[in-house]
Amino acid sequence: MKSVKIGSVGLGRLGYEHAKNLATLLPGCTLHAVCDVDEARLQSVAEELDIPRTYTDFADMCADPELDAVAIVSPSFLHVEQIRIAMEHGKHVFCEKPLGIDVAQCKEAEKVVEAHPELVFQLGFMRRFDPSYAEAKRRVDAGEIGKVVLVRSYTQDPRSTIESTLKFAPHSGGQFLDMCVHDLDLVRWFTGSNIKNVWGLGGVFEFDLYRELNDADNAAAMVQCENGAMGFLFTNRTHAAGCNVETEIIGTRGTLRIAPVGAKDLLQIVDENGARQEYYPDFMSRWHTAFLAEMRAFTDHIRNGTRPADMTVYDGTAVSEAAYRCKESFETGKMLPIR
Ligand SMILES: NC(=O)c1ccc[n+]([C@@H]2O[C@H](COP(=O)([O-])OP(=O)(O)OC[C@H]3O[C@@H](n4cnc5c(N)ncnc54)[C@H](O)[C@@H]3O)[C@@H](O)[C@H]2O)c1
């Protein structure tokens, strides 16, 4: 089967990671083109990864007849417009989360994807591809923990990357949309239910920038699902030890816990401070396997003519809608129903 030719847009923190994976680690696909408005960055990545075509304009890249698909790893507010341009040019689309930065945008994306059933569309909820999360889901679906009652999920970026986080904050869509979307996705995935009510909480404990952005630097939410299951989410960007993502799924007959300590390996370091394990230093290293697996799934779907069973445009809308309601709830101090 022929190799899938991909063009990737956005070569920032995550875009570079996806570009490296596509160019060097995934058989069956070729990173044929890259696009970024930052020309110096574009040229240096293209040279390093030996990519034949470079573009500063996304529509120009999509007009390249050799490309089969695009990976969208640009700032979140550009996603929906770029999905539209790519699909109108007949390209399969992998798009990073969040789908859009408001619900109207997400609904627009739904229409575009619905108009192109011949094309693969996959959203970047990579946690579902992480081996531990996939195994937890298998056990939940097999009924091993009975009925899921509560999903507790924390997403904490390391303090060591706070500078780039603060730069990214103004175009991130806010903590609920940017960070909690992953946890909201997990709540829906593990409970098998849509979210019905949300209560967003939070405050500015350290970084005034978040006050200017009408956002919180530490945020939490309690959510209630249509089937009665509950979720509790927490996020911040200043975890002392590294990238911490932990999830607990409490069922009527058992509990599953993923990475209560985000240990990057099995090495135990014993010194004058005691015994310790090191955390993953950043989200790229924590999710490396998952980022690779999601792209492998995407290119396999294109090559095999299949479609993702989940991570659809509708999942993107449902999760973004819940994240938005969390933000509104945080702003108003009221528990809110999903419309
Ligand atoms: N799945 C995850 O866990 C995860 C983690 C990080 C980021 N993300 C998502 O990935 C996306 C990118 O995040 P990031 O952290 O890499 O951002 P970033 O700010 O580091 O990089 C964005 C890149 O896009 C380029 N760009 C901006 N406007 C452009 C345009 N019009 N055309 C082409 N290129 C343009 C910028 O020059 C920059 O190189 C965001 O949507 C973010 O939510 C997902």
Side-chain angles (χ1 to χ4, degrees):
M1 203 172 286
K2 88 175 176 74
S3 178
V4 175
K5 283 194 176 171
I6 301 203
S8 197
V9 62
L11 296 170
R13 293 180 314 164
L14 182 55
Y16 175 65
E17 178 77 6
H18 278 314
K20 256 192 323 187
N21 288 345
L22 289 164
T24 62
L25 295 177
L26 283 172
C29 80
T30 311
L31 186 58
H32 176 72
V34 278
C35 171
D36 201 295
V37 284
D38 179 340
E39 241 177 285
R41 177 85 183 137
L42 181 66
Q43 294 312 329
S44 91
V45 174
E47 199 173 307
E48 180 197 330
L49 300 177
D50 198 17
I51 300 159
R53 303 262 169 86
T54 56
Y55 296 90
T56 50
D57 182 83
F58 180 70
D60 287 349
M61 181 170 83
C62 289
D64 183 335
E66 286 196 47
L67 279 187
D68 298 302
V70 296
I72 297 175
V73 203
S74 52
S76 307
F77 69 92
L78 294 172
H79 292 179
V80 173
E81 177 61 3
Q82 292 184 337
I83 291 169
R84 189 185 61 71
I85 294 170
M87 288 197 144
E88 285 176 358
H89 281 87
K91 311 300 180 197
H92 303 283
V93 172
F94 169 87
C95 180
E96 259 310 326
K97 62 71 167 124
L99 175 60
I101 58 159
D102 58 38
V103 177
Q105 270 200 355
C106 294
K107 295 280 180 196
E108 209 183 307
E110 287 183 1
K111 282 194 199 130
V112 175
V113 173
E114 282 164 4
H116 295 282
E118 75 287 6
L119 298 173
V120 173
F121 175 82
Q122 185 180 316
L123 202 57
F125 286 134
M126 80 298 180
R127 286 187 193 176
R128 298 184 185 205
F129 289 92
D130 176 82
S132 308
Y133 281 85
E135 176 61 9
K137 174 68 171 163
R138 189 193 66 71
R139 287 175 186 267
V140 166
D141 288 351
E144 288 185 21
I145 62 165
K147 278 190 197 158
V148 174
V149 173
L150 178 100
V151 177
R152 176 185 67 81
S153 199
Y154 297 170
T155 298
Q156 295 174 275
D157 269 355
R159 183 178 282 277
S160 60
T161 59
I162 189 68
E163 264 183 42
S164 73
T165 298
L166 293 175
K167 261 193 231 151
F168 177 73
H171 63 80
S172 70
Q175 302 277 51
F176 291 106
L177 194 71
D178 188 44
M179 297 284 271
C180 292
V181 278
H182 286 297
D183 306 293
L184 290 165
D185 177 53
L186 293 179
V187 170
R188 292 181 73 247
W189 196 45
F190 284 124
T191 63
S193 179
N194 272 320
I195 293 166
K196 186 168 79 168
N197 291 307
V198 302
W199 185 23
L201 303 160
V204 176
F205 292 80
E206 194 172 356
F207 301 104
D208 287 338
L209 172 67
Y210 287 90
R211 209 184 312 280
E212 288 164 31
L213 299 172
N214 201 17
D215 201 357
D217 56 13
N218 283 259
M222 295 201 64
V223 306
Q224 185 183 35
C225 295
E226 284 171 357
N227 69 359
M230 297 165 274
F232 177 70
L233 328 169
F234 173 72
T235 193
N236 74 9
R237 309 278 198 167
T238 48
H239 192 258
C243 171
N244 185 55
V245 175
E246 57 182 85
T247 303
E248 184 174 46
I249 307 136
I250 300 176
T252 50
R253 291 180 169 270
T255 292
L256 299 167
R257 232 173 257 136
I258 301 156
V261 171
K264 78 175 163 83
D265 49 37
L266 296 176
L267 183 69
Q268 196 174 50
I269 301 161
V270 182
D271 58 19
E272 67 278 12
N273 299 314
R276 64 191 162 86
Q277 277 185 287
E278 291 200 333
Y279 266 65
Y280 289 101
D282 51 37
F283 72 84
M284 261 88 74
S285 52
R286 169 63 185 88
W287 302 109
H288 175 71
T289 309
F291 284 136
L292 254 181
E294 70 179 353
M295 279 301 180
R296 187 174 298 117
F298 175 60
T299 53
D300 282 352
H301 282 304
I302 297 170
R303 282 148 49 89
N304 302 330
T306 51
R307 295 288 176 272
D310 51 14
M311 291 151 305
T312 64
V313 71
Y314 305 107
D315 290 309
T317 304
V319 164
S320 299
E321 190 157 30
Y324 259 89
R325 290 301 264 175
C326 285
K327 182 160 166 51
E328 279 176 56
S329 168
F330 156 69
E331 286 167 2
T332 58
K334 290 182 185 148
M335 188 175 98
L336 295 176
I338 303 288
R339 271 168 263 270

